[in-house]
Amino acid sequence: MSSIVLEYLGTPTAVVGFGATTLALLCTTYYFTKSSNGNSRSSASSRRSSSSMANGATNGHVEKVKELDRTKYPGGHLTIYYGSQTGTAQMFAKQIASESESRGFCARIVDLQDVVDNDDVDSIEAESKAVDGSEYATIDEDGALIRATLAHPHYRDLDDDDENGHDNGKRRSKALFFMATYGEGEPTDNAQQFVEMMKSKSGISNIYKIETPPGSNGKESLVSPASTMSLEDITEEDTAAAPYSPRDATFLRDLDYAVFGLGNKQYEHYNNMSRFMDAALEQCGAKRVAAIGLGDDDDDLEGDFETWKDDVLWPSLTETYVKGAVMGAAANKKEGEGMALSLPPCPYLVEYLKTDDDKTAISKSLIQTSSKHYSQAVDCPIVARRELRDPSDPGSTVHMEIDISNHMDTCRYQTADNLGILPKNDSSVVESVAKALNYDLDRQFHLLPNTATDQGDASSKHTLPFPTPCTVRECLERYCDLTGPPRRSDLKQFAPYARDEMDRKALLRMSSKEGKAEYKEKIVEAHVGVADIVTRLCPSIACPLEHFVMVCPRLQPRYYTISSSSTVFPETIHITLAVLETEKKDGGGGVFKGLCSGYLAGMTIGDTVRVFVRESTFRLPKQVERPVLMFGPGTGIAPMRAILQERSHGRKNMGAEQHGASILYFGCKQRSMDYIYRDELESFCEEGTLTELHLAFSREQAQKVYVQHLLVKRAKETWKLIHEDKASIFVCGAVKMGADVDHTLQDIISEHGGMTREKAKAYLDKMAVAGRFVQELWS
């Protein structure tokens, strides 16, 4: 190892707060997206019916589980559920599972999608028939489905915690829930249907009114009183989106649970899903055994997890279930001890294929729910591309049009939906990694579950991270994040593969709590990725392909709000993207480019890009006479352009007099540099589609001016639009801008509506529930 590399990785630094977010780590645009859940329960039921018909009702199976050795597992069974969008919640679940045996628990990991996809007919029917007692005699289909997993008889342990401390013959289940909050306080894709069921069972109809009391120790109820959710000025139409559901207060009375949440304090509905799950389980009779943990990705998500795990979770579980049992030496092993002696267990097997081997694709049911976009995406050609900024501006914003005409069955979209793009790592980066790890890029392989190890999640159908067969090149190009800064836990996972002791110690040091400051400086701020680590900084790493797939972060899709109207451009999708470039500070020189924006910026007309459509929350009001109020500075103009195209088309075909006003607030640095889509906006004004255009050029005067400053000047008119004319409000752009617009709107509603600040916020919340106040923001 060179002296430069040793100096770079070998100097310990003082611990400081870690403020990097997942969004920055992955250089990913995360939008506020609210998925439609209206058909969740019916679709889950239909899948179960189809599964039962396919297997035959008499062929339902009850999973066989070995009797536990209670000297080895005094704590009994522990089931760990996760709702994950990018894999972090799943990673935390696996970390708990890996520590469970040394703590006295036998753990299994379950994807929340598996709960609603459960085809264990016998278990479901057993719960619906209340074989465990009359208290569940009235359980409905959803309740039976949930209990078939959460209260599976093979994963329940005797409850000896009666009032006399004696065995009472009853059995209880233990469950941990790792819940990521995605979009506008919404569940992740793999948790959507489970959350819908729990909303129904818990009676919590408004998931945005879950509050953690100040100083909560996790024991209090987190459900806000219904009285705080009423507001006289909101119509019946506005509240129709959140019907009341009766509460089923006992159907999980034999479940013990704890919840850890993954969120980001920059967003309004911080850790909304974990708060909801904690409250919903309690409302259904489950017993909380450890205080809820709330992880903040705007600060130090991994540090929050480690603190909760070490200071809250394990002490609580040990005190409650293990009760002084003597554990083996594994519990006291020092971190990193013996790491280089053998490879860690791996949940995957790589089966290399010969020319005449079977190339049949692996079943989609084996692919993790959080990775389903890999199978959904299709290749579409770029048919138009142009730079939107003036040449005098050193930055770049690109307009791109993608032809979807050959994939209308899968890529049909609605105006201002989101387009997911699967980027590719640069070929030079892929080749350097393959050379360092001695991979043959042209070899094809199947990735299979390794059922011989407990790490294989054998209880879950969704075990594999991406579809195969594929070549090693495709694996590294499309599925492995080689350039985004890895998390501290990723560095720890790479450490056992470092043959050089100094490399191994450097990775372990930066993965530790004490190494957070060094990690921030030398990995995050320096834009160091996995490729840099295995090729330059820790070149002694030797990692078999299946192990590399296990430890390397997944390459995530990047989402762009579509900037075209599906009515005007049904066969093409337009996107608007800012190209990210910044100088690297890792000692290696060069420029760090945003993976997806850099990937797209290098494309020309005729090149293909792999894409899929994701539903967004931007929907024009069905009553076209109602006004729309839009805030879209910078590339936040994208959905507003789509909305204006849609309204322009409607005015020309339905009559201009039938359409309400369209008001846009747009902002950028200077009129002459980055006033993007200027010609189009002025044309919309001339034809009457754009009723008012308010422009904020932040750098054209001594004091910076932003869109919220212009809104203040229109306070009285804005209140009339919102309250009397029932305008819809759409906001797209940076989180800080969104928060400023939100606060300004609250000020206007409070002042001109004669309300307290609390009621003004509730007014906006009700508008959000009704789809009249929509934000898609990124950090």
Side-chain angles (χ1 to χ4, degrees):
M1 195 177 205
S2 71
S3 59
I4 295 177
V5 174
L6 288 178
E7 180 181 356
Y8 180 71
L9 289 179
T11 307
T13 56
V15 176
V16 297
F18 169 41
T21 69
T22 300
L23 308 173
L25 286 174
L26 296 175
C27 299
T28 301
T29 301
Y30 279 162
Y31 285 109
F32 270 129
T33 59
K34 181 184 288 186
S35 298
S36 173
N37 294 322
N39 296 323
S40 295
R41 293 170 65 190
S42 60
S43 60
S45 299
S46 64
R47 278 201 303 275
R48 295 196 298 277
S49 299
S50 299
S51 176
S52 298
M53 290 173 65
N55 296 326
T58 60
N59 292 331
H61 63 281
V62 177
E63 189 176 351
K64 296 193 180 297
V65 181
K66 295 179 181 178
E67 284 295 323
L68 282 186
D69 178 353
R70 297 309 289 263
T71 61
K72 183 178 181 181
Y73 301 112
H77 294 96
L78 179 64
T79 304
I80 309 167
Y81 301 90
Y82 65 88
S84 184
Q85 195 71 25
T86 63
T88 307
Q90 182 182 13
M91 178 188 72
F92 287 168
K94 289 183 176 181
Q95 189 167 338
I96 293 295
S98 69
E99 298 179 15
S100 292
E101 182 173 334
S102 66
R103 300 281 185 169
F105 295 88
C106 180
R108 66 170 183 148
I109 301 173
V110 177
D111 184 323
L112 280 174
Q113 186 67 47
D114 285 343
V115 177
V116 298
D117 286 348
N118 190 351
D119 58 1
D120 186 346
V121 179
D122 289 352
S123 291
I124 296 171
E125 289 186 353
E127 293 298 337
S128 66
K129 292 176 181 177
V131 296
D132 289 331
S134 59
E135 63 230 73
Y136 306 115
T138 59
I139 198 166
D140 61 12
E141 182 184 5
D142 283 352
L145 182 66
I146 292 172
R147 283 190 55 81
T149 302
L150 270 64
H152 193 292
H154 290 298
Y155 297 100
R156 282 187 280 185
D157 301 304
L158 282 173
D159 174 21
D160 59 0
D161 192 22
D162 68 2
E163 59 185 17
N164 298 314
H166 299 138
D167 182 358
N168 56 20
K170 293 185 178 180
R171 291 181 175 268
R172 299 184 65 83
S173 301
K174 294 182 288 294
L176 304 181
F177 291 84
F178 286 88
M179 302 296 297
T181 296
Y182 186 70
E184 193 180 348
E186 292 294 311
T188 57
D189 287 348
N190 74 313
Q192 281 183 5
Q193 291 172 308
F194 181 74
V195 166
E196 282 299 300
M197 291 180 181
M198 288 302 297
K199 283 170 63 177
S200 174
K201 302 302 291 182
S202 66
I204 300 175
S205 58
N206 190 339
I207 62 173
Y208 301 102
K209 285 295 181 181
I210 309 299
E211 300 174 358
T212 303
S216 171
N217 62 2
K219 301 298 182 182
E220 295 90 342
S221 171
L222 303 185
V223 183
S224 298
S227 60
T228 66
M229 294 185 275
S230 62
L231 189 66
E232 300 83 354
D233 295 317
I234 303 299
T235 65
E236 181 178 347
E237 172 193 349
D238 292 328
T239 59
Y244 170 76
S245 298
R247 169 188 172 196
D248 190 337
T250 63
F251 94 107
L252 290 178
R253 61 192 292 178
D254 53 352
L255 177 72
D256 296 344
Y257 76 94
V259 177
F260 183 83
L262 298 81
N264 187 313
K265 278 188 177 176
Q266 288 198 48
Y267 298 94
E268 179 182 2
H269 300 292
Y270 170 61
N271 258 310
N272 196 54
M273 276 302 104
S274 57
R275 296 172 191 266
F276 163 76
M277 190 56 61
D278 187 68
L281 290 166
E282 180 188 54
Q283 290 292 95
C284 292
K287 176 184 176 183
R288 186 187 297 108
V289 293
I292 185 174
L294 301 178
D296 179 16
D297 207 22
D298 189 39
D299 184 14
D300 183 8
L301 177 63
E302 287 185 288
D304 293 335
F305 166 66
E306 290 166 353
T307 299
W308 178 77
K309 171 175 67 74
D310 296 336
D311 297 346
V312 178
L313 179 67
W314 286 129
S316 297
L317 296 186
T318 300
E319 173 64 24
T320 305
Y321 305 109
V322 179
K323 297 179 177 163
V326 178
M327 301 306 303
N332 299 315
K333 182 183 286 189
K334 293 181 180 178
E335 185 172 70
E337 186 178 320
M339 273 189 163
L341 300 179
S342 62
L343 294 179
C346 181
Y348 312 126
L349 294 173
V350 165
E351 180 183 78
Y352 288 105
L353 304 179
K354 298 177 182 178
T355 305
D356 56 349
D357 281 346
D358 183 14
K359 305 289 195 306
T360 304
I362 295 295
S363 170
K364 290 184 179 180
S365 67
L366 287 174
I367 307 302
Q368 294 168 3
T369 310
S370 59
S371 299
K372 65 181 182 180
H373 46 262
Y374 292 138
S375 301
Q376 293 174 337
V378 293
D379 291 328
C380 296
I382 296 169
V383 293
R385 181 193 184 282
R386 69 177 187 272
E387 174 61 52
L388 294 175
R389 298 198 202 186
D390 188 83
S392 63
D393 191 328
S396 173
T397 300
V398 175
H399 170 87
M400 190 169 286
E401 299 177 14
I402 299 167
D403 181 3
I404 60 169
S405 59
N406 291 329
H407 300 283
M408 296 300 289
D409 54 335
T410 57
C411 285
R412 191 179 304 275
Y413 73 103
Q414 294 189 57
T415 295
D417 269 349
N418 293 330
L419 185 71
I421 294 182
L422 301 184
K424 290 168 60 177
N425 287 305
D426 187 83
S427 59
S428 63
V429 174
V430 169
E431 289 165 6
S432 68
V433 170
K435 182 179 179 180
L437 298 176
N438 197 29
Y439 296 157
D440 182 347
L441 289 172
D442 296 323
R443 293 199 70 179
Q444 281 199 318
F445 69 94
H446 270 132
L447 192 66
L448 304 171
N450 182 7
T451 57
T453 171
D454 290 341
Q455 298 296 313
D457 295 355
S459 62
S460 173
K461 289 186 295 185
H462 304 100
T463 56
L464 300 178
F466 52 82
T468 57
C470 68
T471 63
V472 175
R473 181 184 298 277
E474 186 176 7
C475 168
L476 297 180
E477 271 186 346
R478 292 199 174 274
Y479 305 132
C480 298
D481 189 349
L482 303 179
T483 59
R487 290 186 177 274
R488 287 191 291 119
S489 53
D490 296 324
L491 299 183
K492 183 177 180 180
Q493 289 194 78
F494 271 107
Y497 304 96
R499 294 166 293 180
D500 183 273
E501 185 178 2
M502 190 166 291
D503 286 356
R504 189 163 59 253
K505 286 183 176 179
L507 291 168
L508 289 173
R509 185 178 63 250
M510 286 190 291
S511 71
S512 67
K513 292 181 181 179
E514 295 74 22
K516 287 192 295 185
E518 184 182 4
Y519 163 79
K520 180 183 178 183
E521 175 192 355
K522 296 180 178 179
I523 302 295
V524 179
E525 294 177 351
H527 298 292
V528 165
V530 168
D532 297 305
I533 292 172
V534 301
T535 61
R536 295 191 299 110
L537 303 179
C538 296
S540 71
I541 288 176
C543 193
L545 181 59
E546 61 267 32
H547 287 256
F548 187 79
V549 168
M550 174 181 70
V551 299
C552 185
R554 293 281 73 74
L555 188 54
Q556 299 296 331
R558 273 59 169 171
Y559 292 101
Y560 296 88
T561 308
I562 294 172
S563 55
S564 55
S565 159
S566 57
T567 304
V568 181
F569 298 99
E571 296 186 344
T572 58
I573 288 178
H574 302 182
I575 59 171
T576 309
L577 62 120
V579 180
L580 172 65
E581 288 190 2
T582 185
E583 185 179 349
K584 296 190 74 171
K585 303 175 183 178
D586 65 343
V591 174
F592 173 79
K593 295 184 178 181
L595 177 60
C596 193
S597 64
Y599 165 65
L600 293 174
M603 290 190 148
T604 59
I605 294 175
D607 291 339
T608 60
V609 60
R610 192 162 293 180
V611 301
F612 62 95
V613 172
R614 181 186 176 94
E615 183 178 306
S616 83
T617 48
F618 283 122
R619 291 290 180 265
L620 280 167
K622 293 180 180 179
Q623 302 91 335
V624 297
E625 70 277 6
R626 290 190 174 185
V628 291
L629 185 58
M630 300 170 284
F631 299 86
T635 54
I637 191 67
M640 314 315 169
R641 177 180 184 261
I643 288 171
L644 289 170
Q645 288 179 354
E646 187 79 14
R647 287 215 131 183
S648 174
H649 180 272
R651 285 166 54 87
K652 291 172 183 176
N653 289 274
M654 297 173 56
E657 67 282 352
Q658 296 183 29
H659 283 71
S662 299
I663 299 115
L664 172 64
Y665 288 79
F666 174 77
C668 60
K669 292 181 296 185
Q670 294 183 5
R671 185 188 301 265
S672 62
M673 294 178 65
D674 55 345
Y675 183 4
I676 62 177
Y677 296 122
R678 176 177 180 175
D679 293 345
E680 292 185 26
L681 295 180
E682 291 177 350
S683 177
F684 285 132
C685 287
E686 290 173 5
E687 70 180 38
T689 296
L690 188 51
T691 314
E692 298 176 24
L693 175 60
H694 302 282
L695 300 170
F697 301 109
S698 61
R699 305 298 195 275
E700 288 191 353
Q701 57 282 312
Q703 188 171 1
K704 294 179 180 178
V705 175
Y706 298 110
V707 291
Q708 65 269 20
H709 300 139
L710 302 184
L711 178 60
V712 171
K713 298 178 181 179
R714 304 279 300 171
K716 183 177 180 181
E717 295 86 349
T718 300
W719 170 244
K720 179 181 181 298
L721 285 167
I722 295 172
H723 189 64
E724 296 182 17
D725 300 335
K726 303 299 181 186
S728 293
I729 303 174
F730 301 114
V731 185
C732 185
V735 169
K736 178 65 166 60
M737 179 278 303
D740 290 339
V741 169
D742 187 296
H743 293 155
T744 303
L745 288 171
Q746 289 183 40
D747 290 339
I748 290 171
I749 293 169
S750 177
E751 178 183 354
H752 293 273
M755 305 179 195
T756 64
R757 183 67 180 222
E758 183 181 10
K759 281 200 170 185
K761 185 180 186 305
Y763 191 103
L764 273 181
D765 288 344
K766 285 292 186 180
M767 288 183 63
V769 170
R772 284 183 52 209
F773 179 42
V774 181
Q775 299 181 89
E776 287 200 350
L777 309 175
W778 60 84
S779 177

